[in-house]
Amino acid sequence: MDISSHIPEPDKLAAVMAAFAAFSSALVVSWPYLFWDSLPQRMRKVESERQRIRKRERERLNAEKHPVSLRAEPRMLFKQIVDRFNLAKQAERGELVDTLRMAGYRGHAPVVTFLAVRLIAPVVIFALSLLYILLVVRPAVPLLLVLAMAAGIGALGYYAPAIYVRNRITKRQKAIRRAWPEALDLLLITVEAGMSIEAAFRKVAEEIGAQSAEVAEEITLTTAELSYLQDRRQAYENLGRRTGVEGVRAVVTSLIQAEKYGTPLGQALRVMAQENRDMRMSEAEKKAAALPPKLTVPMILFFLPVLFAVIVTPAAIQIAGIQ
């Protein structure tokens, strides 16, 4: 005789639900013991690997026979001038330091040199201008007017160091823009080959040095900062701040996002390399399009007179011979 046939249907459903609830409760309680969470262990492995890479990079940089020092001491004369005229506050300004870094000058010595030269240059240019006007030009004007002219020329010396630095920044950024797409291609190849970002940066710096010393220098500094700084985000941000190039800043943003969220870096680098290559091509097209207007004035001044002379001279000789 089947006993289950005498059990009402609601009681059967209640028994099944009670059994399922008991099984689920047992499973939830025993889950942490049956399936261990490996995320903390993996994070500890990643942190230990990062510390090992940092230690290796420190040992490699310290083992170099001729390490490059970025903390060269300023000249004593320039340092005395800065201290004498109380220009130390200007030397601590972040804007001036960042501007000199973008020009390739790092450390405290270039800042002191810049401030001292900006103070000395007007005096030197004034003296040279005065001597040139008095000894070479010898104008028939009052001496006060000569002094005013020399002072006006000497005042330009205050802006001469800043103009030189801006020119240096422009040339440096231009060189970085030209070689940056190739550097991204090399970085993409090394990352997809399985290298860590520190090893990839070091390899790219070695390979790109023959083409662009500026890019190799910046990537080498970033590799050193990744080894020494605790916050890797700061090392990436320093790379974008030192160069001041939009393409480099975009790549820095992608590296920071990949570091923070764990997103794949290869696809982002591939897109960034193509965008930088397209930007370089568009700049070349702009220069080619601007070439015809620039050639108009030289053609009028140099080509047309010669052409007229070639055409008119034989006719003029014939007319002179007939007469």
Side-chain angles (χ1 to χ4, degrees):
M1 183 177 183
D2 191 2
I3 300 177
S4 61
S5 61
H6 297 281
I7 300 176
E9 291 296 332
D11 294 340
K12 290 181 180 179
L13 182 61
V16 172
M17 296 297 294
F20 180 75
F23 175 75
S24 300
S25 301
L27 182 62
V28 170
V29 172
S30 61
W31 186 272
Y33 301 98
L34 297 177
F35 303 96
W36 292 93
D37 186 9
S38 60
L39 180 60
Q41 184 178 3
R42 285 184 293 167
M43 294 300 294
R44 287 193 295 270
K45 289 183 179 180
V46 171
E47 184 63 26
S48 62
E49 181 67 17
R50 183 177 298 174
Q51 294 295 335
R52 187 184 67 81
I53 293 175
R54 287 178 178 173
K55 182 178 179 181
R56 184 187 64 190
E57 292 297 325
R58 291 193 187 100
E59 292 176 354
R60 186 184 66 83
L61 292 174
N62 293 329
E64 292 182 354
K65 297 181 179 180
H66 302 285
V68 179
S69 177
L70 299 179
R71 297 184 178 274
E73 292 295 330
R75 294 185 179 180
M76 187 59 63
L77 176 61
F78 294 158
K79 191 174 185 304
Q80 291 177 355
I81 291 174
V82 171
D83 295 338
R84 176 67 178 80
F85 291 93
N86 196 18
L87 300 177
K89 293 183 179 179
Q90 297 186 20
E92 297 174 357
R93 290 171 52 189
E95 297 179 359
L96 179 59
V97 174
D98 291 340
T99 302
L100 292 176
R101 284 178 180 174
M102 291 172 62
Y105 301 110
R106 300 178 180 86
H108 184 65
V111 180
V112 174
T113 303
F114 178 82
L115 294 174
V117 170
R118 191 170 63 176
L119 189 65
I120 295 173
V123 179
V124 174
I125 295 178
F126 168 76
L128 294 177
S129 302
L130 184 61
L131 292 175
Y132 180 80
I133 294 173
L134 292 177
L135 300 179
V136 179
V137 179
R138 296 180 181 179
V141 294
L143 180 60
L144 185 60
L145 183 58
V146 174
L147 292 175
M149 294 171 58
I153 298 174
L156 299 176
Y158 179 82
Y159 302 98
I163 294 173
Y164 173 78
V165 171
R166 282 198 295 268
N167 187 31
R168 181 71 181 268
I169 291 174
T170 302
K171 292 182 178 179
R172 184 178 177 82
Q173 290 179 346
K174 185 178 180 181
I176 292 175
R177 288 192 189 97
R178 287 181 176 177
W180 187 243
E182 282 76 11
L184 288 182
D185 290 336
L186 292 174
L187 185 62
L188 174 62
I189 293 172
T190 52
V191 168
E192 289 186 342
M195 289 187 178
S196 64
I197 193 64
E198 292 88 351
F201 273 162
R202 184 171 64 252
K203 187 65 176 178
V204 171
E206 294 174 357
E207 296 295 333
I208 204 68
Q211 180 179 355
S212 176
E214 294 82 2
V215 176
E217 180 183 358
E218 296 297 338
I219 295 179
T220 302
L221 288 175
T222 304
T223 306
E225 289 182 346
L226 287 173
S227 302
Y228 280 91
L229 295 179
Q230 294 295 329
D231 189 5
R232 297 163 63 86
R233 177 191 180 97
Q234 186 64 36
Y236 294 138
E237 290 179 350
N238 289 341
L239 175 61
R241 191 180 298 111
R242 286 195 307 266
T243 57
V245 179
E246 292 298 330
V248 179
R249 291 178 179 175
V251 175
V252 165
T253 303
S254 299
L255 291 175
I256 293 175
Q257 291 178 352
E259 185 78 18
K260 183 177 181 180
Y261 301 107
T263 57
L265 189 58
Q267 184 64 28
L269 289 176
R270 185 177 290 104
V271 173
M272 291 297 174
Q274 185 63 37
E275 289 181 355
N276 282 270
R277 196 176 293 106
D278 293 340
M279 290 173 58
R280 185 175 61 180
M281 182 61 66
S282 64
E283 290 181 359
E285 292 176 353
K286 288 180 181 178
K287 291 182 178 180
L291 188 59
K294 293 180 179 179
L295 289 176
T296 302
V297 175
M299 287 181 63
I300 294 174
L301 294 178
F302 300 105
F303 291 100
L304 291 181
V306 176
L307 183 61
F308 289 154
V310 171
I311 295 174
V312 175
T313 302
I317 293 174
Q318 290 180 3
I319 293 173
I322 294 173
Q323 293 179 354

